[in-house]
Amino acid sequence: MSTRMASEPAIWQDKKRHLWLLGLIVPTMLFLMLPLVWALNQAGLHTAAQLPLYIGPILLYVILPTLDLMIGADGQNPPDEVMAALENDKYYRYATYAYIPFQYASAIFGAYLFTASDLGWLGFEGSLGWLGKIGVALTTAIVAGVGINTAHELGHKRESLERWLAKITLAQVCYGHFYVEHNRGHHVRVATPEDPASARFGETFWEFLPRSTFGGIRSAWELEAARVRRTGKNPWDPRTWPGNDVINALAMSVLFWGVMIAVFGAALIPYVLINAVYGSSLLESVNYLEHYGLVRQKQGGEGSQGRYERCTPQHSWNSDHMVTNLFLYHLQRHSDHHANPTRRYQTLRSFSDSPNLPAGYGALIGVTYFPMVWRKLMDHRVLEHYNGDITRANIHPRVRSKVLTRYGAAV
């Protein structure tokens, strides 16, 4: 029996390897609540029986923040010598692939619950009331919203299969343009005033939401149209549309929801709208907090005037809370992601010298809805990041004069 020499380094192991499968709780949570719904109905608590259908908002706004607070930071970074093997370990990509069929199973089952006229098998007399229907729609929208993160992970990869899976995942929330805009727009313009997905200091989430949504759609079309024109073709020619990534992604949404409405009827339309609007807003909440107030400075010197400095980990807010890391595939290690956008989630690392958020994404998504709370939490962190020089931040034009005056800078 051999023993390890004292000087021999221990083999690094990913302590989260099997925990990554906890991410599948999200797309299966509606099914997991069914026994509780049935039990409450059997007890005669028919109104209370509809509350477990709100498991999506409960998980997002209550359970995840609580667990992040209780369990704390992750703290494990893979060392350089294991990066290549870890990157090529297919177990991790299969863990993300598995999310997609469960996401669509949840969407279809949710549509059934939303429109069914007889749910006696679940203990209800007839159909769900609007209390239950809204809960189902919000929960499936959260499943799809978290699914955007799965699409984000897959859309950055070079394999054709993963890129198509990314677009399929985005179809439920009608946000297929994200595949183009995020990879070819946001990653080029990140942390600049020109980027619609980089929030500005003093900009509320409710101002940011339409700017990012419609700015992203416009940018995606312009980027894809320019790509088509470089091939010598007209992007408005219908013959080019099958290969147009904005149009074919939109077609997936139209096809999916068209079939769903054909099967379940026009009564499904409110469900469709909640999935699209609320689901996509979750992505925009995350966009809002990832780069709030941060900006890449313009370079000086001959030949580089007007160009922005290279994107570094200093241009993204980082967070390393364990539980949200597991549910969002290390999206919180956003500083490393922008420095290495094709790196797979399991190899992303957390940098102590990056600007760090005060909590995990799970806790902060809800905070973004309340501008006064958000600014009290984050504005001083932006100021500290720039060593008190607020002129170096990405300031929202509406409040620029007020901000500069407040912090004693020249207007």
Side-chain angles (χ1 to χ4, degrees), residues 88 107 119 122 185 223 258 309 311 352 354:
N88 293 320
L119 290 173
L122 201 50
L223 288 166
E309 63 182 321
C311 184
S352 59
S354 299

Side-chain angles (χ1 to χ4, degrees), residues 282-304:
L282 296 176
L283 163 70
E284 298 300 352
S285 296
V286 171
N287 276 340
Y288 179 76
L289 60 85
E290 285 175 335
H291 305 283
Y292 177 78
L294 302 179
V295 69
R296 288 150 57 197
Q297 306 300 321
K298 284 194 173 181
Q299 296 176 323
E302 185 178 354
S304 62

Side-chain angles (χ1 to χ4, degrees), residues 311-344:
C311 184
T312 72
Q314 298 298 311
H315 300 120
S316 306
W317 289 102
N318 196 66
S319 178
D320 200 29
H321 285 73
M322 170 71 87
V323 177
T324 306
N325 268 351
L326 292 170
F327 279 80
L328 295 183
Y329 304 118
H330 271 163
L331 180 66
Q332 299 182 125
R333 294 183 171 185
H334 211 60
S335 297
D336 194 10
H337 168 67
H338 271 278
N340 302 281
T342 61
R343 181 173 285 176
R344 292 188 181 272

